[in-house]
Amino acid sequence: MIIKEYRCGRFAGLKDKSLEFTDGLNVVLGNNESGKSTLIEGIHAAMFKATKQDRRSVADKTFYAKFMPLPDGDSIDSRLVLVCAEGEYTISREWGANPSAELLTPKAEKFVSEEKVKQVLDEVLMFGEGTYSNIFFSKQTHFREALERITKSPETTSEISTLLRKAIMELDGVSVDELGAKIDEELDRLLKRWDVERDCPENNRGINNPYKTGIGEVLAYYYEKENLLRDMEEAKSKQMQYEQISSQLKDLEEQIASLQQQKEQMEQIEEDVLKRSQLEPKIDQYNKDLGRLMEINQQWPKHELELEHLKKELTELEQENEKLEQEKAQAAKVLEKEALQKKVDKINELRQLMQQKTEEAKSITITKEDISALEKYQQDMRTAEAKMQAGVMIGKLISYSGKTDLTVTRDLEEPEIIKPGDTFKANGFIRLESDHLSLELKSGDMDFAELRNQYENNKENLEALLQKLGVNNIEAAKLKKEELNGIHNDIVSLEKQITGLLDGAEYEELAAQLSSYGDLGHVRDLATIESAMKELNDKKVGLLVKRESLETNIAKWQSEYGDVNGLLEQIIEVKMAKKEVEAEIEKLAPLPSEFENTDMYRAKLVGLRKSYEENRDALQALNREYLDIENSLPELSYEDMKEAYQQAEETFIHKLEQGKKLLKIKAAFEATRAQIDDSSFKPVADAFSRYVVTLTDGNFASGDISNDFELKLAKDDNTNIPVELLSTGTYDAVALALRLAVAEYIFGDRKGFIILDDCLVDLDPDRKQAAVNLIKKFAEKHQVIFTTCSPETADLLGGTIIHMS
Amino acid sequence: MPIKIFHTADLHIGMKFNSYPEPVKSQLQQARLEVLPKMLSIANKENCHLFVVAGDLFHNIKGINKKTIVQTAQYLEEFQGECVLVLPGNHDYDNDRIDLWDTFQKNVGDKTIFLNQEAPVSLTDYGLEATIYPAPCHSKHSDTNNIGWIGEQEVDPQHINIGIAHGSLQGISPDIESSYFYMTPQELEKLPMDLWLLGHTHVVYPAHEAVKDWKVFNPGTPEPDGLDCRHKGHAWLINVDDHKRITANVVSTGTYRFLDENYTITSADDLDHLQASLLKEGPETTIARIHLSGRVSGDTYSYRQEIYQTLEQSLAHLIIDDFNLGIKITPEKISQEFTEGSFPQQLLKALADDEDAMQMAYELILGVKK
């Protein structure tokens, strides 16, 4: 789509202007202030500016302020003819007093409704106003500034690919990096220290342990609302406590009043009760005395009669006791006689036994010396035997051809006949003998014959002594000697027993004593007599005690009262005294029925007084508590703070929502960046490359674009152009190449137009020519409207020259 | 003898309005006190016999400065009728230990009766054939009301028997936990009163401008006290004739008004209408909170600042909640502002399913756009 014609009756400084444009390159030539820029604005306004003015719109106010004719004039207009594949579209607009819009289509359709005009135009124009404004109508300085920003950004590398990518992304004057930083900044401002996942402060730092600094707004409002909530709860709690204490105070005061009333009521008769408490015990005492006296009065005569009977009984008991004593003495004698008889019999028995033992001892004749001799003989025999048995010898007769028997004598044994094949063993001595042989073998250096001789002698002596003693062996001899010793010991023991029984006396003395008892007759046993005596004694003791008691009482009564008459007088006296006290008690206030006695009354009164004082103390303490809590009541009540809390909560929720939206934006931002980063910029890169080739006069071969889009010098494949070293002129040229590449990228296969505002001003002649070549190249495919005040530039460019008068 | 009564309650003198800035904060505080002479003036003009404050004359039992208490007492002295009756409510309750009431009683005259006991008060000495049966509050909260004692009283049928109580009333008060001396109309009917003058709920009851043969009245607050108060402040003028027939009408007493409104904005016209509606009636005594929502063009969105400025200059106080108002970001708008294929265009497209996020992203983009 290209521009064919522009007309206006009045648009800012333009008056009755009519300009026609051709396909390809159009150069609008005019001096400064000739209206070139206004023309471009007029074209833009015709395409996009709604005719309905809203005086409240800043954009509208600016538009009218800028383009409404001065000093007077209430109307401006523009008419534009656009040509596209379908044909011509004519857009006419008037702004101001009579706003109107009209669109004529190639099909001769006419639309005058603003909304319809816009709708149709949007379809025809293919791109949005933003694209037209930022790319096709944009001032070249805008591109240059964008390029400068990108190349000066710390994140820009020396790679042209990055530059292109950024350039396209930031065509609207929005730095992606800055936007990202802004999003992060906002996130930080809102969500710092807020755990979004767990929906709470990070590290659970609630109001009890809050972060003091470095928090986001969400957390700040969270703290605010939670603090308010806590304050509210505290206020509520304090209020409740206050009301509770007030109620307690009231109850306590009522209680104290009640206690006071009861106390005072009781105190009214306290004195009488006290007197009663003093008098009533007297009555009790009198009653007790009377009881006691009456009892004495009854008991005194009984006592005296009883005493008489007791005395008689005691006399009888004495007599009986004497008889028992006599019987007891007799019983003791009988026992003595029996004991003595027993002793004498025992002594006789022991003497007989002793006699027997003495006879036995005489029959045994063996001495200690005999035993010693036997042992010596035996020991000597053993010694000799041991010496002979010290060397063991074993022999075997292999063959023997003698005519007589061969005998062997081993140690101390007798000779024995042996045959070939027989073995023989000896401990120290072997002797072999036959008619022609006599062989003696000894173990060691011993005189075996001497030893054998010693052995034989001791053996003979031993046997002779055993025979003499009448025993078979030494053990039997020892046993016999022990038997003899035992008999001697028995005899000694018997003697001791006899001596013990005699106990210093002679046997004859005891015998004589026994005879002297004679016949003692029949007597009860001692135990029976003593039992009878005990029984008698017990009875006597009882009577004696009773007697003493009676005598004591009588003595006491006599001492107190003299006699019975005296007792009666005492009784009368006590009765009279009692009556007097009873009369006094009658005069006192009666004891209330709920009290059994004065003690209970007094106890109750003491209790009341104590309770009263305690309650007064409690009231004092509670009053202090009341004052404390009254002073601590917050200024604002729970209800007062409720509105503020609700407000804070709403704000918190809103901020949190904002934060979450921001996170969503962040995610979309990252995704978009990644997506755009991954997008293929090859078409743009290719176009750019071609334009750069043109700009640099072929120094860059179009094939020398690597996969990373790195530019390489044609002469040196390994050299890259660092973008920051581009000269000013090259900046402008590269900016132009960039713009044209982007425009071409956006147009794609479609035909479009681009408006350039003298972008060759700062270029040197070489660069200028290169740029002109570039523009011409672009104009081969698309319409270019180039505005300039320089005729030379116009000549250089060529194309359709349109003069602005 | 007929009796004319001016019935008010819930002045809440001493209310702080801490969430408001100066000077409106001080103005609102002062308004609570100044409504009293205003009402007394009406009562005097109407030749009322009784001026009744049915509770919550003061906002708190402490923190009210002495000067204010004395001023309140002095204002009440200006009543020209027979008697002023003041009942402690649940905010200014009396438990015999409250300094507030000590100071108050020391500064009022004989004409003012402080009704802090559950005992009948005859007004014969004041020349009125009426007996008052008060149900004062002795605490801030209570799950029972204080009117029960009245049922045990022998009332004089020759007198006009007036019950004065403070607490929530079934059907008009939001007292979900029954913490505020809750009463029901049935309870009130059962008691042998000719008239009930209540306080506590900040809306007028019955909800009519004038009534006849009605027994139970609640005046609401005479001076609006917050954004949840949608009326202009009322009191009741009640006539009881010789036959105990009652007629009553509402009087408007408030100076300030509170508005808390929602507005859906679709265009600049809506903003203009909003402005007009807020400035229509006494803007200088209007405290408004406006909740704006909707999606509008960029121009309209910018235009709202002009509206805000105008409103802020004209109203006593303005609270703006425009969190839910945003620019309508349409594909058309995106293509109008951003180049095809540019990063902002791509980003906004990616957020097309979420208007709010798109709005925020748009503002961020504008924030960095050169």
Side-chain angles (χ1 to χ4, degrees):
Chain A
M1 187 197 65
I2 62 172
I3 299 171
K4 184 184 175 189
E5 186 185 304
Y6 173 80
R7 273 193 209 167
C8 71
R10 189 61 195 262
F11 188 86
L14 296 177
K15 201 159 67 168
D16 297 323
K17 197 58 89 178
S18 178
L19 300 167
E20 288 188 7
F21 301 90
T22 59
D23 194 359
L25 183 53
N26 297 263
V27 179
V28 176
L29 176 63
N31 295 331
N32 293 334
E33 307 303 325
S34 61
K36 299 188 294 298
S37 298
T38 308
L39 166 67
I40 306 305
E41 299 274 11
I43 293 171
H44 188 276
M47 287 171 74
F48 300 111
K49 186 64 188 169
T51 54
K52 276 186 195 164
Q53 181 194 5
D54 189 342
R55 59 172 174 76
R56 297 166 297 198
S57 162
V58 171
D60 282 357
K61 285 182 201 169
T62 309
F63 176 80
Y64 285 100
K66 198 172 172 185
F67 300 119
M68 221 23 109
L70 294 170
D72 293 319
D74 62 6
S75 175
I76 49 176
D77 63 280
S78 281
R79 184 171 173 275
L80 189 68
V81 178
L82 299 169
V83 175
C84 62
E86 300 87 58
E88 288 183 8
Y89 287 82
T90 305
I91 311 147
S92 302
R93 292 187 196 264
E94 184 173 332
W95 303 270
N98 294 311
S100 67
E102 186 187 281
L103 175 67
L104 290 172
T105 70
K107 292 181 187 169
E109 292 158 317
K110 182 176 173 182
F111 299 102
V112 296
S113 143
E114 184 70 62
E115 289 75 27
K116 197 67 188 171
V117 165
K118 185 177 187 317
Q119 185 189 334
V120 175
L121 260 182
D122 281 346
E123 286 165 18
V124 172
L125 292 175
M126 298 176 297
F127 313 110
E129 183 183 340
T131 306
Y132 276 94
S133 300
N134 295 327
I135 307 297
F136 310 137
F137 278 82
S138 177
K139 290 192 181 307
Q140 186 61 18
T141 50
H142 168 76
F143 265 80
R144 189 207 152 85
E145 282 161 6
L147 188 64
E148 271 187 27
R149 265 202 316 278
I150 289 161
T151 55
K152 282 172 188 168
S153 162
E155 279 114 30
T156 303
T157 67
S158 61
E159 295 177 359
I160 298 298
S161 57
T162 309
L163 184 136
L164 286 179
R165 195 179 299 128
K166 273 184 167 295
I168 287 168
M169 280 174 24
E170 299 183 17
L171 287 170
D172 300 322
V174 175
S175 162
V176 175
D177 295 333
E178 278 182 32
L179 180 60
K182 181 76 179 170
I183 291 170
D184 288 338
E185 190 188 305
E186 285 298 298
L187 275 170
D188 199 54
R189 182 182 65 80
L190 277 171
L191 293 176
K192 193 166 184 187
R193 293 290 186 196
W194 184 262
D195 188 334
V196 176
E197 266 183 43
R198 290 170 61 228
D199 203 25
C200 67
E202 274 180 10
N203 302 318
N204 284 319
R205 293 282 291 267
I207 51 170
N208 292 326
N209 182 20
Y211 286 104
K212 298 275 189 276
T213 56
I215 62 173
E217 284 188 13
V218 167
L219 186 52
Y221 277 105
Y222 173 83
Y223 284 155
E224 186 181 320
K225 84 165 173 81
E226 289 298 311
N227 279 324
L228 272 171
L229 187 65
R230 182 175 58 183
D231 291 345
M232 280 163 68
E233 292 302 322
E234 205 177 304
K236 193 173 179 182
S237 165
K238 281 252 155 41
Q239 183 65 38
M240 291 295 189
Q241 276 179 47
Y242 178 77
E243 288 178 13
Q244 201 177 5
I245 287 190
S246 300
S247 174
Q248 283 172 1
L249 273 170
K250 191 175 168 193
D251 290 342
L252 199 51
E253 281 170 348
E254 280 173 8
Q255 198 172 342
I256 288 172
S258 166
L259 283 169
Q260 188 171 14
Q261 191 190 14
Q262 286 177 58
K263 183 173 75 79
E264 283 170 359
Q265 213 169 356
M266 284 184 77
E267 280 169 351
Q268 277 174 10
I269 61 166
E270 188 183 5
E271 214 178 297
D272 278 5
V273 169
L274 183 65
K275 275 190 193 157
R276 183 185 287 273
S277 70
Q278 290 163 348
L279 292 174
E280 276 179 354
K282 281 186 182 173
I283 299 288
D284 291 339
Q285 189 57 48
Y286 288 144
N287 284 333
K288 274 185 199 161
D289 287 346
L290 274 174
R292 184 174 54 82
L293 288 170
M294 296 302 286
E295 180 69 20
I296 294 171
N297 190 41
Q298 230 181 9
Q299 292 296 325
W300 197 334
K302 280 186 189 172
H303 270 40
E304 287 187 338
L305 192 61
E306 204 176 327
L307 192 64
E308 284 289 324
H309 289 140
L310 263 177
K311 281 178 179 170
K312 278 185 195 163
E313 213 176 321
L314 275 167
T315 308
E316 284 167 11
L317 281 177
E318 275 301 323
Q319 287 168 358
E320 205 177 318
N321 194 49
E322 267 186 46
K323 284 182 190 167
L324 282 173
E325 288 286 348
Q326 285 169 7
E327 194 182 345
K328 184 181 173 184
Q330 194 70 3
K333 272 190 182 167
V334 166
L335 284 174
E336 273 177 25
K337 183 184 175 184
E338 283 174 2
L340 186 60
Q341 183 66 61
K342 213 169 164 182
K343 191 187 267 188
V344 167
D345 288 344
K346 180 71 183 171
I347 289 170
N348 286 336
E349 187 188 323
L350 286 172
R351 285 173 99 177
Q352 271 177 17
L353 192 58
M354 204 167 85
Q355 184 63 35
Q356 275 175 22
K357 291 283 179 188
T358 305
E359 293 295 325
E360 273 180 44
K362 281 177 184 171
S363 67
I364 297 172
T365 55
I366 183 167
T367 67
K368 198 164 66 174
E369 289 74 23
D370 291 334
I371 298 297
S372 296
L374 284 172
E375 283 175 343
K376 184 169 185 324
Y377 293 145
Q378 190 183 55
Q379 182 61 34
D380 289 344
M381 275 170 70
R382 281 179 180 157
T383 303
E385 194 176 21
K387 282 180 180 175
M388 284 189 294
Q389 286 173 353
V392 176
M393 293 183 291
I394 302 172
K396 183 176 178 185
L397 184 61
I398 304 297
S399 67
Y400 178 66
S401 57
K403 290 186 182 148
T404 57
D405 290 329
L406 178 66
T407 64
V408 61
T409 305
R410 301 181 284 121
D411 296 321
L412 301 171
E413 304 293 324
E414 294 299 317
E416 293 170 41
I417 296 173
I418 59 167
K419 298 279 183 219
D422 287 347
T423 57
F424 49 91
K425 180 178 162 186
N427 290 323
F429 177 83
I430 294 175
R431 188 182 177 90
L432 292 163
E433 276 184 316
S434 70
D435 56 352
H436 62 275
L437 175 70
S438 179
L439 175 66
E440 194 177 275
L441 300 165
K442 284 196 291 186
S443 167
D445 183 20
M446 69 173 94
D447 186 348
F448 195 80
E450 178 58 32
L451 275 176
R452 190 184 171 108
N453 197 41
Q454 279 177 12
Y455 179 81
E456 294 292 339
N457 285 340
N458 281 317
K459 189 175 175 184
E460 274 177 30
N461 288 338
L462 178 72
E463 284 170 356
L465 185 54
L466 283 172
Q467 192 179 8
K468 180 187 167 188
L469 294 174
V471 293
N472 293 327
N473 51 47
I474 294 176
E475 284 70 33
K478 285 181 180 174
L479 279 172
K480 206 160 183 182
K481 180 72 174 78
E482 275 179 32
E483 189 185 333
L484 180 63
N485 288 343
I487 292 168
H488 284 148
N489 288 339
D490 287 345
I491 290 170
V492 167
S493 173
L494 285 167
E495 277 178 0
K496 278 183 182 171
Q497 283 180 57
I498 291 169
T499 304
L501 285 169
L502 286 172
D503 194 23
E506 299 290 332
Y507 176 80
E508 291 74 24
E509 281 176 21
L510 293 180
Q513 193 179 345
L514 185 64
S515 300
S516 72
Y517 281 115
D519 184 7
L520 294 175
H522 180 70
V523 181
R524 287 191 297 175
D525 66 277
L526 196 61
T528 306
I529 296 167
E530 282 179 345
S531 173
M533 283 181 76
K534 186 176 181 309
E535 200 181 312
L536 192 81
N537 194 53
D538 287 347
K539 198 170 172 186
K540 182 180 165 186
V541 165
L543 289 176
L544 284 172
V545 166
K546 192 94 193 276
R547 189 186 71 179
E548 191 177 336
S549 168
L550 291 170
E551 284 174 344
T552 303
N553 283 342
I554 290 169
K556 192 170 114 184
W557 294 338
Q558 282 169 344
S559 135
E560 276 185 36
Y561 310 110
D563 55 20
V564 173
N565 289 331
L567 177 67
L568 283 173
E569 279 173 20
Q570 183 70 15
I571 288 170
I572 292 165
E573 214 176 285
V574 167
K575 278 185 175 176
M576 283 182 65
K578 177 183 163 184
K579 207 166 174 181
E580 273 176 31
V581 169
E582 279 172 344
E584 261 188 78
I585 289 174
E586 268 309 300
K587 293 178 194 166
L588 301 173
L591 192 67
S593 58
E594 61 265 31
F595 300 102
E596 281 179 18
N597 52 52
T598 55
D599 283 342
M600 282 178 69
Y601 186 92
R602 290 172 68 196
K604 170 83 180 183
L605 183 57
V606 164
L608 270 176
R609 283 181 176 138
K610 188 174 171 206
S611 191
Y612 175 77
E613 287 305 320
E614 281 172 356
N615 274 287
R616 279 175 62 85
D617 290 341
L619 182 68
Q620 259 186 4
L622 202 58
N623 262 324
R624 280 195 294 271
E625 217 179 304
Y626 171 85
L627 285 171
D628 284 343
I629 207 149
E630 192 189 40
N631 288 334
S632 74
L633 282 176
E635 218 177 84
L636 296 176
S637 69
Y638 174 90
E639 290 83 5
D640 290 337
M641 287 188 263
K642 212 168 168 184
E643 195 185 322
Y645 170 75
Q646 280 166 351
Q647 183 64 40
E649 193 178 39
E650 272 173 33
T651 310
F652 162 74
I653 290 169
H654 171 72
K655 292 289 175 187
L656 187 59
E657 258 175 55
Q658 271 191 320
K660 288 178 180 170
K661 294 288 178 196
L662 212 45
L663 285 170
K664 191 171 176 179
I665 292 168
K666 170 98 181 163
F669 175 87
E670 295 299 340
T672 305
R673 182 149 68 175
Q675 185 196 343
I676 290 181
D677 283 352
D678 291 335
S679 298
S680 169
F681 288 95
K682 198 167 184 321
V684 183
D686 284 347
F688 179 72
S689 174
R690 273 187 273 109
Y691 292 132
V692 167
V693 162
T694 306
L695 266 180
T696 56
D697 218 10
N699 279 334
F700 294 91
S702 63
D704 290 341
I705 304 293
S706 71
N707 287 337
D708 294 330
F709 301 121
E710 287 187 337
L711 278 174
K712 296 175 183 175
L713 285 173
K715 289 173 190 173
D716 184 358
D717 283 348
N718 294 322
T719 304
N720 298 323
I721 291 183
V723 178
E724 66 270 22
L725 296 182
L726 290 173
S727 67
T728 305
T730 313
Y731 244 125
D732 283 333
V734 170
L736 179 61
L738 176 65
R739 185 171 175 187
L740 295 180
V742 169
E744 186 172 309
Y745 167 68
I746 291 174
F747 287 142
D749 293 330
R750 296 164 288 201
K751 195 185 224 355
F753 70 87
I754 187 166
I755 297 176
L756 300 173
D757 57 324
D758 207 347
C759 49
L760 311 178
V761 166
D762 293 324
L763 299 180
D764 59 47
D766 290 339
R767 285 274 185 271
K768 199 174 206 170
Q769 184 59 56
V772 164
N773 293 341
L774 194 61
I775 291 166
K776 281 180 175 174
K777 197 170 177 63
F778 185 83
E780 285 169 11
K781 280 169 55 179
H782 304 288
Q783 184 184 48
V784 176
I785 299 174
F786 191 100
T787 64
T788 183
C789 59
S790 163
E792 292 77 19
T793 305
D795 286 339
L796 210 55
L797 283 165
T800 305
I801 308 289
I802 298 157
H803 294 273
M804 294 288 289
S805 55
Chain B
M1 172 197 166
I3 288 183
K4 197 162 183 186
I5 302 167
F6 191 98
H7 172 210
T8 183
D10 299 291
L11 278 77
H12 288 274
I13 294 169
M15 193 184 261
K16 297 285 184 197
F17 296 100
N18 279 339
S19 57
Y20 294 92
E22 294 292 359
V24 71
K25 177 176 167 178
S26 295
Q27 289 163 0
L28 290 171
Q29 286 172 359
Q30 192 62 22
R32 308 230 60 84
L33 181 58
E34 294 306 320
V35 73
L36 186 54
K38 198 172 170 186
M39 288 192 292
L40 285 160
S41 171
I42 298 169
N44 288 338
K45 203 166 151 191
E46 293 287 338
N47 296 315
C48 292
H49 300 102
L50 286 179
F51 188 90
V52 177
V53 183
D56 288 356
L57 172 63
F58 298 103
H59 182 60
N60 214 332
I61 53 167
K62 56 176 274 183
I64 314 285
N65 72 50
K66 195 172 172 183
K67 194 173 156 192
T68 304
I69 302 169
V70 170
Q71 180 66 76
T72 305
Q74 285 171 354
Y75 278 148
L76 288 172
E77 287 303 293
E78 290 169 14
F79 181 59
Q80 290 161 7
E82 272 68 12
C83 194
V84 172
L85 302 173
V86 175
L87 182 84
N90 73 310
H91 274 257
D92 58 357
Y93 58 88
D94 187 31
N95 61 8
D96 297 328
R97 284 183 173 72
I98 308 295
D99 291 343
L100 166 80
W101 291 116
D102 278 346
T103 308
F104 177 79
Q105 288 191 83
K106 279 179 185 152
N107 285 278
V108 292
D110 296 335
K111 217 194 287 194
T112 301
I113 303 176
F114 182 51
L115 302 169
N116 68 339
Q117 302 288 329
E118 285 84 344
V121 175
S122 171
L123 298 185
T124 315
D125 289 347
Y126 297 89
L128 299 171
E129 285 170 15
T131 306
I132 307 297
Y133 294 82
C137 294
H138 301 297
S139 61
K140 188 139 189 207
H141 304 97
S142 176
D143 52 12
T144 54
N145 58 48
N146 270 353
I147 60 176
W149 70 274
I150 299 173
E152 292 156 22
Q153 302 299 312
E154 294 238 10
V155 300
D156 181 353
Q158 301 302 316
H159 271 206
I160 296 171
N161 297 296
I162 304 172
I164 306 181
H166 188 95
S168 57
L169 183 62
Q170 183 190 46
I172 66 162
S173 319
D175 185 4
I176 298 162
E177 290 173 23
S178 300
S179 308
Y180 298 109
F181 304 88
Y182 185 74
M183 295 174 276
T184 64
Q186 291 81 1
E187 267 182 288
L188 295 168
E189 276 299 328
K190 268 189 195 163
L191 295 168
M193 296 289 104
D194 302 309
L195 175 64
W196 276 104
L197 304 178
L198 306 182
H200 177 71
T201 310
H202 288 201
V203 293
V204 74
Y205 176 83
H208 301 292
E209 291 287 322
V211 290
K212 271 188 198 177
D213 301 324
W214 195 268
K215 209 166 138 179
V216 178
F217 294 87
N218 187 86
T221 182
E223 180 62 50
D225 57 0
L227 290 164
D228 56 351
C229 186
R230 304 205 166 252
H231 61 82
K232 298 176 194 176
H234 303 111
W236 279 107
L237 260 180
I238 302 170
N239 279 292
V240 184
D241 70 12
D242 288 330
H243 303 289
K244 296 192 179 182
R245 282 197 297 254
I246 296 170
T247 55
N249 58 280
V250 163
V251 289
S252 289
T253 55
T255 301
Y256 287 87
R257 72 168 178 155
F258 287 80
L259 293 177
D260 193 11
E261 302 287 348
N262 292 307
Y263 298 92
T264 303
I265 307 296
T266 57
S267 68
D269 288 344
D270 290 338
L271 286 171
D272 288 338
H273 293 144
L274 159 80
Q275 180 178 285
S277 76
L278 288 174
L279 299 182
K280 196 166 58 175
E281 234 180 273
E284 65 282 355
T285 53
T286 299
I287 293 98
R289 182 165 68 183
I290 53 174
H291 306 271
L292 307 185
S293 61
R295 295 273 168 213
V296 296
S297 69
D299 279 341
T300 304
Y301 193 71
S302 303
Y303 179 57
R304 84 192 194 289
Q305 295 295 348
E306 267 185 52
I307 300 292
Y308 293 164
Q309 201 177 6
T310 308
L311 288 173
E312 276 164 353
Q313 284 165 358
S314 309
L315 296 173
H317 184 63
L318 177 67
I319 303 162
I320 302 165
D321 167 19
D322 61 0
F323 295 139
N324 293 316
L325 179 67
I327 298 175
K328 196 169 180 67
I329 316 289
T330 57
E332 187 191 302
K333 181 159 180 67
I334 295 170
S335 74
Q336 190 180 8
E337 287 195 37
F338 303 106
T339 306
E340 186 72 30
S342 67
F343 187 87
Q345 189 241 12
Q346 295 292 315
L347 176 60
L348 291 171
K349 267 174 72 174
L351 293 167
D353 65 335
D354 188 335
E355 269 194 332
D356 292 330
M358 205 160 60
Q359 163 84 35
M360 280 182 71
Y362 176 76
E363 287 172 12
L364 287 167
I365 289 165
L366 289 187
V368 299
K369 186 172 179 177
K370 297 286 185 290

